[in-house]
Amino acid sequence: MEEGVVNEILQGPLRDVFDTKQLITDISGSGNNWAVGHKVFGSLYQDQILEKFRKSAEHCDCLQCFFIIHSMGGGTGSGLGTFLLKVLEDEFPEVYRFVTSIYPSGEDDVITSPYNSILAMKELNEHADCVLPIDNQSLFDIISKIDLMVNSGKLGTTVKPKSLVTSSSGALKKRHKKPFDAMNNIVANLLLNLTSSARFEGSLNMDLNEISMNLVPFPQLHHLVSSLTPLYTLTDVNIPPRRLDQMFSDAFSKDHQLLRADPKHSLYLACALMVRGNVQISDLRRNIERLKPSLQFVSWNQEGWKTSLCSVPPVGHSHSLLALANNTCVKPTFMELKERFMRLYKKKAHLHHYLQVEGMEESCFTEAVSSLSALIQEYDQLDATKNMPVQDLPRLSIAM
């Protein structure tokens, strides 16, 4: 919401991407306080925001989905971001709401981020159709790995001069600085792959509403862990394309997840593979059959795969893959966040900053942590079914 920050973007290289008539700012931000973003800015700007939503929606031929891209640790992203979810649900109940949420790392610089994140999570549980949780630490680790491989010359690579690895004042070279541009670039590529079917031709297209329909078996369990491969393409590093089968294997490895998680050793509820480039349906089937024995799917959805093929690959590359997994591996992230929340909340530390905002009560905190506990419990119950034998259900015989 800060005018200064938005103006900086409008003077930068991305200025032409934004319609300045659609921007809303205030003199200051939310001061790392969910209550200010949600209760103060929410009610103050609701009508103005709604008007801009309607204006954008009018230009759509086929409105499928709204994307909310926000961070969970601060005040505006978590507070106003989740306030908008409810506004969208009331105004456009039929349109899916996808949320890309950036979760704070344990070492982030916002002391109140556990409060903000958990207050926001309650809203996400209630008003989002799909949440793609991403954590800052994973993005930073991926960029650091790429940096290491490029600098060690292991890959025999050359980096394009204007790559996001080398641009942004040489962010990667200064290791103490977080390379935000390169990290944001990964999230941007996730969204590009997610929407590729809506923008390009393909033999097996997937609408955004199909993602929610096929990957979310229960309303609360709508957190999808994403992985991108090949990752090096995201930083414009000129390396030979990896073998197609290797690309599928990478999508299930720990190193390629945009959340610190290990889906391979957790339980899958469903999985989507969104492939771009010159890939055949037979390649998809072969790789699914190859990987299936090493992945554990919930007993009632053993064939829980959704696939799409888009014939146009990312610029300059032969193929790419985005995997979206509804998997119990998100649970440790939520448990860690709850622990950080409880450490502050037990001492009632920083609580007064929130309670002095009109409409904010202590019950908001207790309800938020109860909502998260219930979500963790749902994942616990699913994990308890892991390694249970899958019964072969008798097939229906039809008398001729």
Side-chain angles (χ1 to χ4, degrees):
M1 290 294 284
E2 280 176 73
E3 211 168 32
V5 177
V6 175
N7 286 340
E8 209 175 298
I9 293 167
L10 296 179
Q11 286 156 16
L14 294 177
R15 59 185 174 275
D16 297 332
V17 175
F18 298 97
D19 177 357
T20 50
K21 294 191 196 88
Q22 289 292 91
L23 295 175
I24 294 173
T25 54
D26 197 288
I27 295 159
S28 68
S30 304
N32 299 148
N33 187 331
W34 180 90
V36 173
H38 200 85
K39 306 283 183 185
V40 178
F41 283 154
S43 55
L44 200 59
Y45 288 99
Q46 179 172 354
D47 294 341
Q48 213 178 320
I49 289 167
L50 201 46
E51 188 49 44
K52 293 192 189 294
F53 275 151
R54 289 183 186 132
K55 204 171 169 187
S56 285
E58 279 166 19
H59 293 296
C60 296
D61 297 322
C62 171
L63 181 57
Q64 275 193 13
C65 170
F66 286 106
F67 280 107
I68 288 188
I69 303 163
H70 72 146
S71 69
M72 300 283 276
T76 305
S78 67
L80 186 60
T82 53
F83 178 85
L84 299 186
L85 267 182
K86 181 77 175 79
V87 170
L88 287 170
E89 187 179 43
D90 293 343
E91 190 66 19
F92 303 93
E94 303 302 313
V95 183
Y96 282 87
R97 294 169 300 282
F98 274 62
V99 186
T100 306
S101 301
I102 309 293
Y103 279 74
S105 66
E107 300 158 8
D108 71 322
D109 58 354
V110 179
I111 292 168
T112 53
S113 69
Y115 283 165
N116 297 331
S117 300
I118 285 184
L119 289 162
M121 272 197 77
K122 179 178 182 285
E123 304 298 315
L124 292 180
N125 286 344
E126 291 174 6
H127 306 298
D129 291 301
C130 269
V131 178
L132 306 177
I134 294 167
D135 69 41
N136 262 330
Q137 194 57 49
S138 278
L139 298 178
F140 188 60
D141 290 347
I142 288 166
I143 295 301
S144 300
K145 267 180 211 140
I146 294 166
D147 177 38
L148 199 65
M149 292 183 95
V150 172
N151 289 340
S152 67
K154 254 187 203 173
L155 297 164
T157 65
T158 53
V159 183
K160 296 176 190 171
K162 294 216 170 145
S163 151
L164 277 172
V165 170
T166 51
S167 65
S168 186
S169 320
L172 273 175
K173 289 170 192 165
K174 300 174 189 169
R175 286 174 183 258
H176 61 282
K177 277 179 82 173
K178 292 203 172 177
F180 296 115
D181 282 356
M183 289 160 75
N184 286 336
N185 192 33
I186 293 175
V187 183
N189 275 277
L190 156 69
L191 295 169
L192 286 174
N193 281 326
L194 198 59
T195 56
S196 59
S197 272
R199 294 179 291 116
F200 302 115
E201 289 298 311
S203 54
L204 195 62
N205 270 1
M206 191 195 299
D207 282 345
L208 288 162
N209 52 14
E210 289 180 57
I211 294 172
S212 180
M213 185 63 72
N214 288 276
L215 295 191
V216 181
F218 307 109
Q220 296 282 296
L221 303 179
H222 57 223
H223 297 83
L224 309 178
V225 179
S226 48
S227 62
L228 278 170
T229 171
L231 266 174
Y232 307 111
T233 66
L234 304 178
T235 45
D236 305 327
V237 179
N238 286 330
I239 64 168
R242 305 196 80 169
R243 280 199 343 267
L244 190 63
D245 289 9
Q246 183 61 47
M247 184 177 82
F248 280 90
S249 299
D250 286 347
F252 293 89
S253 84
K254 218 164 47 169
D255 294 344
H256 284 68
Q257 309 304 317
L258 304 193
L259 188 75
R260 274 174 304 160
D262 189 3
K264 214 169 181 181
H265 294 101
S266 302
L267 190 65
Y268 280 86
L269 280 72
C271 184
L273 299 177
M274 305 179 79
V275 185
R276 295 178 65 183
N278 184 20
V279 181
Q280 306 305 314
I281 291 176
S282 57
D283 296 321
L284 260 176
R285 287 190 182 135
R286 183 184 75 253
N287 276 288
I288 288 173
E289 289 306 317
R290 179 175 66 84
L291 290 160
K292 239 174 161 177
S294 64
L295 308 172
Q296 189 154 10
F297 273 73
V298 75
S299 61
W300 39 263
N301 196 23
Q302 287 289 297
E303 301 297 324
W305 297 88
K306 178 70 181 163
T307 53
S308 84
L309 288 176
C310 169
S311 53
V312 180
V315 175
H317 298 284
S318 56
H319 44 250
S320 75
L321 168 63
L322 165 65
L324 298 175
N326 194 337
N327 187 297
T328 59
C329 67
V330 295
K331 188 177 74 173
T333 298
F334 299 159
M335 288 168 71
E336 189 186 315
L337 205 50
K338 184 183 167 185
E339 279 169 30
R340 289 178 60 203
F341 175 95
M342 291 312 294
R343 277 202 293 273
L344 288 177
Y345 189 64
K346 274 178 186 164
K347 300 290 182 190
K348 301 284 191 276
H350 302 282
L351 217 56
H352 63 287
H353 298 299
Y354 291 80
L355 299 179
Q356 66 194 18
V357 174
E358 196 181 338
M360 193 70 188
E361 294 168 6
E362 201 168 327
S363 60
C364 296
F365 287 84
T366 51
E367 285 166 18
V369 81
S370 298
S371 166
L372 181 59
S373 299
L375 182 64
I376 291 168
Q377 200 175 349
E378 286 200 52
Y379 284 113
D380 278 337
Q381 286 167 358
L382 282 166
D383 271 338
T385 68
K386 220 163 66 167
N387 303 320
M388 282 173 67
V390 178
Q391 292 178 335
D392 276 335
L393 296 172
R395 295 199 175 266
L396 187 66
S397 52
I398 301 169
M400 300 299 282

